[in-house]
């Protein structure tokens, strides 16, 4: 059995109930797209524009399920897209500032989100791989064979619910800024989106720089859409998240939504500096019954004072401590000197293990760009 080189206990949560650490508004470094065949493009090709979906008559979020084009769930993409984007900025000398592509941590938003929500998602285990090169620590998801098997073997009902989120996105997005379209052009685009086959290869991503406490972070995140033509400065202020949920038809359902889903919505949007989450509420037959905009900054207030709810300052202080915990214990350098950090619900601990020398999860192109 492996022995961790360091342990960080979760409890008591009261130790994190203090003033929030400083958090700098995310600033975009670059954006990129994955096209319909999952080829990466250093452009805004897949950026879509928000337009409120029509819900009269109620559209089905299960429509077209059989025709969807799905990304290969067995392929581990590591953090290749994020690294390739940073390498591109370096080799093209496109950084707005000299230190734009260097930070204490480089990781996708999903990893930060997992850390943020841990104090209030105590049953959800996670595992990540870590490498340190120079002063920068790289973090990726530890994708196991078991996780891949779970993705491939999920039930049809689970796949339908996953699909409903993608379908909702297609109903909310048009290809051009709505303010530039005539009524007829807008109607045409909305009709086209309603017929469009869902393709999960396609994706638009932002790469941004932020800071939590003393820790500078470069992260990447998929962005669902934007409210208007993309501005040059702080485009995140116009980005929008699109989410789905079952209708909140009981107090129990509302409590569960606020306790679990709203926590993840807040963490994802807060980390990337996205101000609004649009939630489509569906019934059990997949019919879209209601659409609601929720401002990211309002989410903590929505649950404040309610029993067994999450607290934003606890999430932020916990994440700040975990990042410091990683810095203190991941000391060996080099792309092939790897560590693993895991959260164990059984032990209520975050643990770090040394894995020794392993094939690097950093791309060769990126490593070469470090000398630029």
């Amino acid at each position: 059995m492996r022995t961790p080189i360091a342990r960080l206990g979760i409890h008591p949560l009261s130790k994190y109930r203090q003033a929030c650490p400083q958090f700098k508004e995310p600033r975009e470094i670059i954006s990129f797209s994955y096209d319909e065949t999952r080829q990466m493009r250093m452009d805004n090709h897949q950026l879509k524009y928000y337009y409120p979906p029509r819900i009269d008559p109620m559209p089905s979020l299960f429509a077209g399920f059989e025709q969807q084009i799905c990304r290969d769930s067995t392929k581990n993409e590591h953090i290749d897209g994020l690294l390739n984007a940073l390498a591109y900025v370096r080799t093209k000398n496109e950084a707005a500032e000299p230190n734009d592509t260097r930070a204490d941590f480089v990781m996708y938003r999903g990893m930060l989100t997992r850390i943020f929500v841990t104090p209030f998602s105590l049953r959800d285990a996670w595992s990540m791989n870590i490498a340190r090169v120079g002063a920068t620590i790289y973090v990726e998801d530890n994708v196991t064979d078991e996780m891949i098997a779970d993705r491939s073997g999920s039930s049809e009902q689970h796949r339908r619910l996953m699909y409903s989120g993608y379908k909702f996105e297609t109903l909310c997005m048009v290809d051009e800024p709505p303010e530039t379209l005539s009524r007829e052009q807008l109607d045409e685009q909305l009709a086209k989106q309603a017929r469009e086959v869902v393709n999960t290869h396609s994706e638009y991503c932002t790469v941004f720089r932020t800071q939590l406490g003393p820790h500078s972070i470069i992260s990447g995140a998929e962005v669902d859409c934007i409210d208007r033509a993309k501005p040059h400065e702080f485009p995140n202020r116009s980005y929008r998240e699109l989410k789905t949920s079952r209708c909140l038809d009981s107090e129990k359902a509302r409590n569960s939504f606020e306790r679990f889903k709203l926590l993840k919505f807040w963490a994802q949007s807060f980390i990337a500096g996205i101000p609004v989450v649009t939630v489509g509420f569906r019934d059990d037959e997949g019919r879209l019954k209601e659409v609601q905009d929720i401002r990211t900054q309002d989410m903590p207030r929505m649950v404040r004072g309610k029993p067994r709810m999450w607290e934003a300052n606890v999430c932020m202080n916990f994440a700040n401590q975990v990042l410091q915990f990683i810095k203190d214990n991941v000391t060996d350098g080099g792309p092939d000197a790897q560590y693993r950090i895991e959260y164990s619900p059984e032990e209520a601990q975050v643990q770090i293990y040394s894995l020794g020398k392993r094939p690097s999860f950093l791309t060769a192109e990126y490593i070469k760009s470090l000398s630029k």
Side-chain angles (χ1 to χ4, degrees), residues 138-364:
Y138 301 85
V139 184
E140 69 152 10
D141 193 9
N142 177 32
V143 179
T144 63
D145 292 341
E146 182 181 359
M147 290 168 61
I148 292 173
D150 286 345
R151 293 173 188 169
S152 304
S154 58
S155 68
E156 180 174 325
Q157 177 62 13
H158 180 260
R159 293 197 302 273
R160 282 184 178 274
L161 293 178
M162 293 291 291
Y163 171 82
S164 69
Y166 292 113
K167 183 64 177 178
F168 178 63
E169 291 173 8
T170 67
L171 297 176
C172 293
M173 302 186 300
V174 293
D175 294 331
E176 301 169 67
E179 65 269 21
T180 67
L181 300 173
S182 67
R183 181 74 250 179
E184 293 75 17
Q185 290 172 321
L186 189 55
D187 287 341
E188 182 180 328
Q189 287 223 13
L190 292 172
K192 171 179 171 286
Q193 291 297 86
R195 297 190 304 268
E196 189 162 310
V197 174
V198 168
N199 184 339
T200 63
H201 290 91
S202 304
E203 196 172 311
Y204 169 79
C205 298
T206 177
V207 177
F208 57 91
R209 183 183 181 88
T210 186
Q211 184 164 326
L212 177 64
H215 313 296
S216 57
I217 303 164
I218 291 175
S219 190
E222 179 181 4
V223 174
D224 295 324
C225 57
I226 193 168
D227 284 350
R228 59 191 177 99
K230 183 178 177 179
H232 180 69
E233 295 289 331
F234 292 102
N236 58 286
R237 296 175 184 174
S238 299
Y239 288 153
R240 179 181 292 256
E241 291 276 2
L242 302 173
K243 302 291 185 182
T244 55
S245 174
R246 187 180 179 278
C247 291
L248 307 182
D249 52 9
S250 68
E251 189 62 31
K252 181 179 178 181
R254 179 168 293 280
N255 184 274
S256 178
F257 173 81
E258 292 182 346
R259 185 180 175 193
F260 299 111
K261 281 207 166 186
L262 201 63
L263 167 60
K264 291 182 179 177
F265 293 174
W266 168 78
Q268 290 177 333
S269 303
F270 176 79
I271 289 167
I274 297 176
V276 179
V277 178
T278 296
V279 185
F281 292 95
R282 51 158 182 81
D283 63 18
D284 291 336
E285 285 70 48
R287 291 172 299 201
L288 180 60
K289 304 196 75 172
E290 182 185 355
V291 178
Q292 181 182 353
D293 290 345
I294 307 176
R295 294 192 62 79
T296 304
Q297 66 181 16
D298 293 339
M299 294 178 188
R301 289 196 290 268
M302 290 170 62
V303 301
R304 188 173 297 155
K306 296 183 179 181
R308 303 175 69 198
M309 287 293 174
W310 52 276
E311 301 162 71
N313 62 325
V314 171
C315 296
M316 295 176 67
N317 281 304
F318 175 76
N320 186 35
Q321 182 156 338
V322 169
L323 295 182
Q324 188 61 53
F325 176 64
I326 295 172
K327 275 185 179 178
D328 291 343
N329 291 285
V330 175
T331 54
D332 288 347
D336 56 353
Q338 287 191 34
Y339 293 78
R340 183 160 296 151
I341 184 168
E342 297 180 342
Y343 166 64
S344 167
E346 293 78 15
E347 300 183 56
Q349 289 183 338
V350 177
Q351 302 170 343
I352 293 179
Y353 301 84
S354 175
L355 302 180
K357 300 293 184 180
R358 294 204 171 187
S360 177
F361 60 82
L362 307 185
T363 64

Side-chain angles (χ1 to χ4, degrees), residues 16 18 23 28 76 87 106 119 138 175 194 251 280 329 346 353 371:
Y16 304 113
Q18 50 189 288
F23 184 80
E28 186 169 277
N76 185 356
V106 173
Y138 301 85
D175 294 331
E251 189 62 31
N329 291 285
E346 293 78 15
Y353 301 84
S371 61

Side-chain angles (χ1 to χ4, degrees), residues 25-43:
E25 181 178 7
R27 181 173 55 80
E28 186 169 277
I29 301 169
I30 195 171
S31 56
F32 65 90
S33 300
Y34 287 109
D35 68 15
E36 296 82 355
T37 63
R38 202 57 184 174
Q39 295 300 305
M40 186 176 177
R41 300 173 47 154
M42 298 310 305
D43 59 27

